[in-house]
Amino acid sequence: MPVTRGFFRKRADGPAGRLPPGQYDTGSGWPVLTAEATPRIARSDWSITVDGLVEEPTTWSWDEAHRLPSATYSGDIHCVTTWSKFDMVFGGISVDDLLAAARPRPEARFVLAHSSTGYTTNLPLEDVTGGKAWVVWEAEGRPLTPEHGGPARLLVPHLYFWKSAKWVSRLELLDEDQQGFWERNGYHDRGDPWREQRYQGDA
């Protein structure tokens, strides 16, 4: 699947200092973009697993995940297709708590996030630790809809939004970086919106 640089750019406005370069404020809208058909996953069928280079591979059901300490992210999100949305509120659990239970081994340096659809995306471990990533099931106080990744998605808001895998089901810890779906098709391995890391080869 080739990647084109032909993203359409609208006017760039928004709160001062919060709009990364090349982005526009989508306002009250929240665009729906996906590379695959939207699955309908019952909460009773959903689970999240942390495995790979960990001491205690662990799987949580929907109910078990909800018994973990709740966490909230309030802030902005940025899509590689150039839209940004400000002042979002997501509810769920911290990836730090999942990793604390699974206990990453010293050689673990990367995470490959898996969705129930087969979608994957790669991240450095440091980008999902230290209060920088969540598994969320609420947006704006309401259950996350399937179109936006419900029943639960990964949230890594400091990176472009394709890194926040919809319908997340597994976090696999690795000692070497392994590209995910969009990364194999030309997107940047990290995806920092403030550095405009949209494509392979961007600084």
Side-chain angles (χ1 to χ4, degrees):
M1 180 184 298
V3 173
T4 175
R5 291 181 177 264
F7 291 139
F8 178 71
R9 298 191 178 189
K10 299 183 181 179
R11 62 189 178 91
D13 53 12
R18 289 171 59 185
L19 193 67
Q23 298 291 111
Y24 73 93
D25 179 3
T26 192
S28 61
W30 185 3
V32 175
L33 300 170
T34 184
E36 55 206 334
T38 299
R40 305 291 170 174
I41 304 167
R43 295 176 179 179
S44 58
D45 294 332
W46 179 86
S47 64
I48 182 69
T49 295
V50 178
D51 63 5
L53 294 177
V54 298
E55 298 293 346
E56 296 286 343
T58 307
T59 298
W60 294 262
S61 68
W62 179 262
D63 289 340
E64 289 167 339
H66 276 69
R67 288 196 285 271
L68 295 174
S70 61
T72 300
Y73 167 76
S74 299
D76 309 332
I77 57 176
H78 311 287
C79 182
V80 70
T81 60
T82 73
W83 61 261
S84 293
K85 186 168 176 58
F86 297 105
D87 300 316
M88 292 287 291
V89 179
F90 291 93
I93 52 177
S94 173
V95 169
D96 287 315
D97 287 334
L98 300 179
L99 294 175
R103 295 190 292 132
R105 288 162 50 181
E107 62 268 34
R109 298 174 52 236
F110 297 94
V111 175
L112 190 65
H114 298 254
S115 299
S116 61
T117 58
Y119 175 87
T120 55
T121 190
N122 53 305
L123 304 114
L125 184 59
E126 64 185 15
D127 274 322
V128 299
T129 55
K132 295 192 288 288
W134 297 261
V135 171
V136 297
W137 42 68
E138 290 183 356
E140 304 299 309
R142 298 180 179 180
L144 198 63
T145 63
E147 291 76 15
H148 287 298
R153 74 179 297 157
L154 184 64
L155 178 67
V156 190
H158 67 286
L159 301 179
Y160 282 127
F161 215 44
W162 90 81
K163 294 292 186 178
S164 296
K166 295 181 179 182
W167 317 298
V168 67
S169 61
R170 180 186 177 202
L171 301 177
E172 179 186 9
L173 273 64
L174 305 168
D175 58 352
E176 295 184 355
D177 201 9
Q178 180 177 324
Q179 289 182 323
F181 174 81
W182 281 119
E183 295 81 13
R184 292 193 305 272
N185 285 285
Y187 279 14
H188 199 277
D189 282 329
R190 182 152 187 264
D192 183 342
W194 294 99
R195 298 177 65 184
E196 283 201 274
Q197 293 176 334
R198 302 180 194 272
Y199 308 99
Q200 295 290 332
D202 289 342

